[in-house]
Structures are given as C-alpha cells and as structure tokens.
Amino acid sequence: ADQAVIAIQNARLFNETKEALETQTATADVLRVISQSPDDVQPVFDAIAERAKLLCDAMVSAVSRFDGELVHLVAYDGVSAQVDAQVRARFPMRPTTESISGRAVLARGPVQIEDIEAEADYAPQLAEAARAAGYRSNLSVPMFKDGQVIGSIIVCRADPGRFPDKQVNLL
C-alpha cells in the first residue's frame, strides 16, 4: 500500500512537472519571438495563438486586438483557408455578445461558451464557421496593458463543455 501511494505521488509530480515545463517552454518561445521581432507584432500574435492552442489541447486558437472601438482578428490558427476567410470577413467588429472575443472585451475577464450550438446570442456567421471548423466550445481571456483591454486570446475545442480552471488561469 505504501508503494502504491508513492507511485501515485510520483506520477502526480511527474505530470505537474511536465505541465510546468510545457508552460515555461511556451512562454520562452513567445519571448524569443518578441526579441526577434521588435518592430513587427504579427509574429508575436501568431506565436501566442499557436502556443495557446497547444497548451490548452485546443483545435483552434486566435488572438484579437481591441483598439478602443473595434475588435480586430490578428491571428487565427487551426482552420482551413475557407473557414479563416469566413471568420475574418466578420472583423473588425464592435465588441458585442455575438462573439467570444467581444464578450471578453466587454466583461474584462475570462468568458466561456460551453456549446456554441446552444448559444442564442452568438453571431450566425461565426456559429456557421464553428461548425465548418468542427468546434463546439470556446474560451476567451482578455489581454491588458496599463489597465486597459487591448485584445483577447481565444481557444476552441471540438467537445462541448467548460474548460478546466487550470487552462483558464494559464491563458
């Protein structure tokens, strides 16, 4: 019994260490891109979207920028060219409850949609794009600078349901 407890604790510690290493590696990757692109933010947005997708076991990720009036889609990872064009056609947009990024900007905090299919306020064009891309749930976390919302990070999964608190906190 003592050995079983030790084995379980070792497995838990191994998983925690692995997750911490993945997080630190993703952070280091984004910082590396920032240092290599001091005058161009696009590679940074692309790196954030790519790493967020990997860290949250998502199938799609995005980064939006908020200029104080409009939400702009600046990075989108994990979809076909057709879905990419379909979603980008909706941007820029005013922050409203019709999009997950608009909700995060308005709420100034993390927002989840557990099932886009059951979400009446979601923009029909975005719901159609979600179906085409194959995702049902999404999470958006706002980004801040000097206390102001400057955008959001979005991740999307195929399965409906809430994202774990650990992933929300990570983003």
Side-chain angles (χ1 to χ4, degrees):
D2 290 342
Q3 288 178 341
V5 169
I6 291 170
I8 290 169
Q9 288 175 341
N10 285 344
R12 181 183 54 79
L13 289 172
F14 176 78
N15 288 334
E16 288 174 2
T17 302
K18 182 181 170 202
E19 289 173 6
L21 180 60
E22 289 171 351
T23 300
Q24 290 172 356
T25 301
T27 302
D29 289 346
V30 172
L31 291 173
R32 181 183 41 76
V33 172
I34 290 170
S35 70
Q36 293 173 349
S37 309
D39 298 329
D40 185 9
V41 295
Q42 189 59 52
V44 177
F45 292 142
D46 293 338
I48 291 170
E50 181 184 324
R51 296 323 182 272
K53 184 174 90 172
L54 292 172
L55 289 172
C56 293
D57 295 322
M59 61 180 300
V60 174
S61 63
V63 176
S64 73
R65 186 179 55 80
F66 180 57
D67 64 13
E69 288 186 36
L70 298 173
V71 176
H72 303 264
L73 186 62
V74 294
Y76 201 36
D77 187 54
V79 295
S80 68
Q82 178 184 355
V83 172
D84 183 279
Q86 188 176 2
V87 171
R88 287 184 188 275
R90 292 280 300 153
F91 290 87
M93 67 169 62
R94 296 216 177 277
T96 68
T97 59
E98 289 190 331
S99 74
I100 191 74
S101 54
R103 290 179 187 192
V105 167
L106 294 172
R108 298 179 54 83
V111 177
Q112 295 192 49
I113 296 177
E114 293 183 38
D115 190 352
I116 291 171
E117 295 296 325
E119 204 50 44
D121 285 349
Y122 209 65
Q125 299 91 337
L126 294 176
E128 183 180 319
R131 280 189 288 282
Y135 64 85
R136 297 272 302 269
S137 59
N138 53 19
L139 161 67
S140 183
V141 176
M143 297 184 295
F144 291 90
K145 180 180 180 187
D146 299 328
Q148 300 298 314
V149 176
I150 60 166
S152 67
I153 303 171
I154 301 111
V155 290
C156 311
R157 291 186 317 201
D159 297 325
R162 294 190 64 75
F163 284 77
D165 289 341
K166 183 182 269 186
Q167 291 177 353
V168 175
N169 294 334
L170 177 63
L171 288 185

